[in-house]
Amino acid sequence: MQQWLSHPFDDDKLREECGVFGVIGVQDAANFVALGLHALQHRGQEAGGIITHSPEQGFQSAHRFGLVRDNFTSARLMDTLPGAIGIGHVRYSTAGSKGATAMRDVQPFFGEFAMGGAAIAHNGNITNAHAIRRELIERGSIFQSSSDSECIIHLMARSIQKNIPERMKDALRRIEGAFSIVAMTRTKLIGVRDALGVRPLVLGRIGPEKDAGWVLSSETCALDIIGADFIREIEPGEMVVIDKTGVTSTRPFERLASRFCIFEQVYFSRPDSILGGRSVYETRHQIGVELAREAPVEADLVCPVPDSGTPAAIGYSHESGIPFAMGITRNQYMGRTFIEPSEQIRNMGVRLKLNVNRALVAGKRIVLVDDSVVRGTTSQKIKQMILEAGAKEVHFRIASPPTAWPCFYGVDTPERSKLLAANMTEDEMRDYIGVESLKFISLDGLYRAAGESGGRKASCPQFCDACFSGEYPVAPTDMIARGFELKVQSAAAE
C-alpha cells in the first residue's frame, strides 16, 4: 500500500473535508470521475474512491489512500471500473494525517437494497449523527465505518419507500446539518443539497442536449477539466434525479433562506470556480479591495501568503496603490519529498513549504495578506522568516474575519479553546504573532466583497458565517449533548 502523510506542519488552516463528483451517460465513466476528482483534489488529499456500474459486471469500486494522480491514473485499476455511470469522492483527514482512518471510512459507500444497489458520496457533516447512529445500532444496524455518512445508508435501508430516490428523501429528512450528496443506482445519478445549501453542488452537461452526458460536482472547475458545460447550481433543498430520459427535479425539504458557507468564497473553493453566479477569484480580489479601504497602512510592498492569499493581495495592492510582489515562494513538491520526516525536519515547519525572496523584501515595509488566522502558529513563523530576510516591518492583513468558533458542517476545525480569536482580542493576537499591525476584514466587508452591497443582514444572514459569528443556522445537536456551549444571543440581536 502506498504510504501517505498529510503535512503536520500545515495544520494551521481550516480544512474542507471532501469533494464529490458523478457522471452518467458517457463511455468509461470512471475516467471522467477520476479527472473530476483530480480537479477537486484541493478539497481532499488524504484518500479517494470511485464506484461505477455496468450491466455486465454490476457495481465495481476502488478506494485508495493518497492523491488521485497516484492511484486513479493506472490503466490496470481503471479497467476494473467499467460502465457509463459512476461517482467519486475525495477526503481530507480530520486529524492531520492518515492516523486512525481506515479504508472502510473512505467514500463512496455502497448498500444493497431490495430494489437494487446504491452508492453515495457525501460532502458536509451530519450534526445529529451520534444520536441517529445510537438509535440505529439499538435497532440492529451494523456499521462498517466511523463516518457519519454511513447513517444515510442505514436510514435508507429502513425506509418502506419503493425506490431509491424516495428512500433517500426519507433518510435525509431525519438528519440535521449540512449535506451535498452525489449518489447512484444502476440507472440513475442523484444529486441533493440540504435545505440551507451550506455546501456547494453544481450540474453540468457533456455534449449536445439530445445525447448528453450529465455531471454533478462540488465545483465548476471540475466541469472545465472534462469539457462539460455548466448548466446551473443545484438549489438548496433540491433533489435532481438523472437517467436516460433527462433531469427530474423535486423539492423534498421545506424551503428556507439559503445559508451557503461563506468560507467557500474565502478559501475552500478553487479561484477558477463559479459560486452563486460569481467568480471566486473576483470575490477574493474584492476582499483585498475592501481590506485596503478598511485597514490602510503605509508600506512598500504587498505580498501574499501563497497560494490562497494571492487574489486578495492583488486587490489590496490595486486599491492601496502599494506595489504587489511575490515575496514568498511556495514549494509545490515538499509533500512528496518528506514521507517520513525526522523530528529535525518537522521543526523546520513552514520553511519546507515556503521560502522568502530576500532580494525583494530586504529593507522594505511588507504587507502580508493571508486568508485566515486559525491557531496563529504559521503566522508567527512566516513573520519570523520575513524579518530574517531583512524586512523592516511586517503588517498582516487577513482576508476573513477572526475565526473564533468551530465549524460543524463539514470542515475540520480545531476545538474552540485552540482558536486564537476565541481567546484573544485583535491587539493581543497582533502582539502574539509579533507584527507591527494585524487587521482582519470586517464581517460586513466580507459580505460586500461576496456581492452583498448592503453588507450582512443581522436578522437573517445571507451566508453561513458561524465560524466568525458563532451563529449556527443548524444546532450542532451532538456537540451540545457533549457540552458545547452556544453563543449567548443578545436581546438586540434577537
Side-chain angles (χ1 to χ4, degrees):
M1 183 181 73
Q2 178 185 353
Q3 215 168 8
W4 173 253
L5 181 73
S6 296
H7 315 317
F9 21 73
D10 197 25
D11 66 349
D12 198 19
K13 296 289 183 185
L14 302 187
R15 291 297 187 199
E16 174 65 86
E17 287 182 9
C18 47
V20 295
F21 190 88
V23 65
I24 187 172
V26 296
Q27 284 190 326
D28 300 320
N31 290 324
F32 283 85
V33 175
L35 287 168
L37 294 181
H38 177 73
L40 298 174
Q41 190 77 86
H42 59 287
R43 301 183 72 88
Q45 297 181 3
E46 183 204 28
I50 296 175
I51 293 181
T52 63
H53 181 272
S54 71
E56 298 77 22
Q57 297 188 39
F59 288 94
Q60 300 292 325
S61 66
H63 299 79
R64 298 288 189 273
F65 287 117
L67 299 176
V68 173
R69 71 183 183 209
D70 295 332
N71 291 298
F72 296 104
T73 52
S74 162
R76 183 188 306 177
L77 175 62
M78 301 309 287
D79 286 345
T80 68
L81 299 168
I85 180 172
I87 65 172
H89 185 276
V90 287
R91 64 167 280 160
Y92 254 119
S93 167
T94 58
S97 67
K98 183 166 72 67
T101 301
M103 189 63 75
R104 63 179 179 270
D105 294 319
V106 180
Q107 298 186 45
F109 293 136
F110 177 78
E112 192 71 58
F113 304 103
M115 67 289 296
I120 184 170
H122 169 215
N123 174 25
N125 189 55
I126 300 172
T127 56
N128 63 338
H130 290 293
I132 288 178
R133 188 184 185 98
R134 184 171 57 251
E135 173 192 326
L136 288 167
I137 289 174
E138 288 173 353
R139 294 185 177 184
S141 294
I142 300 173
F143 280 75
Q144 300 297 317
S145 78
S146 61
S147 171
D148 61 338
S149 307
E150 193 182 351
C151 290
I152 301 170
I153 292 286
H154 287 281
L155 289 171
M156 289 172 63
R158 290 185 172 273
S159 171
I160 61 172
Q161 298 297 326
K162 301 302 182 183
N163 60 58
I164 296 296
E166 292 302 318
R167 286 191 173 211
M168 183 174 292
K169 289 178 185 178
D170 263 5
L172 295 179
R173 289 183 183 120
R174 286 285 320 276
I175 69 175
E176 301 169 2
F179 51 85
S180 281
I181 287 171
V182 171
M184 61 176 280
T185 68
R186 292 169 294 185
T187 59
K188 293 179 172 62
L189 182 66
I190 303 167
V192 59
R193 289 177 75 188
D194 67 77
L196 295 175
V198 177
R199 306 253 72 87
L201 190 64
V202 300
L203 174 69
R205 186 176 66 220
I206 305 172
E209 187 169 2
K210 183 179 179 182
D211 300 307
W214 294 94
V215 187
L216 292 168
S217 173
S218 289
E219 293 184 41
T220 61
C221 63
L223 305 181
D224 299 334
I225 198 173
I226 61 170
D229 295 321
F230 170 60
I231 301 302
R232 64 178 180 87
E233 296 187 11
I234 304 305
E235 296 181 7
E238 181 185 16
M239 173 184 279
V240 293
V241 179
I242 309 169
D243 57 21
K244 62 183 180 181
T245 66
V247 181
T248 302
S249 172
T250 59
R251 292 277 187 171
F253 311 112
E254 176 187 1
R255 284 184 180 268
L256 300 172
S258 172
R259 295 291 295 273
F260 182 64
C261 170
I262 200 166
F263 217 90
E264 291 277 358
Q265 299 277 11
V266 175
Y267 178 69
F268 295 141
S269 295
R270 252 177 48 171
D272 52 332
S273 284
I274 305 294
L275 296 177
R278 185 178 176 86
S279 159
V280 174
Y281 181 91
E282 178 187 351
T283 296
R284 291 177 188 170
H285 181 277
Q286 193 61 30
I287 287 173
V289 171
E290 293 286 343
L291 254 178
R293 293 170 181 169
E294 292 184 352
V297 66
E298 291 188 8
D300 302 307
L301 290 177
V302 176
C303 300
V305 176
D307 294 310
S308 54
T310 301
I314 294 172
Y316 193 100
S317 172
H318 284 175
E319 181 66 17
S320 67
I322 302 171
F324 172 88
M326 293 300 295
I328 302 175
T329 300
R330 183 184 182 95
N331 178 3
Q332 301 288 355
Y333 302 103
M334 51 81 67
R336 293 178 57 77
T337 303
F338 299 105
I339 300 301
E340 289 290 351
S342 66
E343 189 62 30
Q344 182 180 8
I345 294 296
R346 288 177 187 272
N347 290 337
M348 290 182 185
V350 294
R351 295 177 189 272
L352 287 169
K353 184 178 69 171
L354 304 175
N355 191 56
V356 177
N357 188 332
R358 292 174 176 268
L360 273 177
V361 307
K364 303 290 199 318
R365 298 168 297 176
I366 306 297
V367 179
L368 283 178
V369 180
D370 203 355
D371 57 82
S372 60
V373 172
V374 181
R375 303 173 192 262
T377 52
T378 299
S379 300
Q380 285 181 317
K381 293 171 184 176
I382 293 172
K383 174 268 303 184
Q384 189 61 35
M385 290 166 59
I386 292 284
L387 290 177
E388 289 174 0
K392 187 187 299 183
E393 297 176 1
V394 179
H395 302 268
F396 258 110
R397 294 295 179 267
I398 309 302
S400 61
T403 303
W405 296 85
C407 175
F408 301 117
Y409 306 132
V411 179
D412 184 22
T413 318
E415 59 188 55
R416 189 157 192 257
S417 63
K418 295 180 181 178
L419 294 171
L420 203 64
N423 301 286
M424 295 184 185
T425 65
E426 190 173 276
D427 288 344
E428 289 171 337
M429 285 189 278
R430 176 201 64 206
D431 295 341
Y432 175 78
I433 295 171
V435 289
E436 271 70 26
S437 69
L438 169 68
K439 295 293 181 182
F440 297 80
I441 192 171
S442 68
L443 202 47
D444 275 335
L446 178 57
Y447 271 67
R448 288 193 295 270
E452 299 291 341
S453 58
R456 183 179 190 264
K457 298 178 182 176
S459 60
C460 184
Q462 304 93 310
F463 294 95
C464 176
D465 56 27
C467 55
F468 308 131
S469 67
E471 298 175 18
Y472 293 93
V474 179
T477 304
D478 289 335
M479 296 307 298
I480 292 172
R482 294 180 180 182
F484 179 78
E485 297 182 5
L486 296 175
K487 179 180 178 180
V488 177
Q489 301 296 322
S490 66
E494 293 172 355

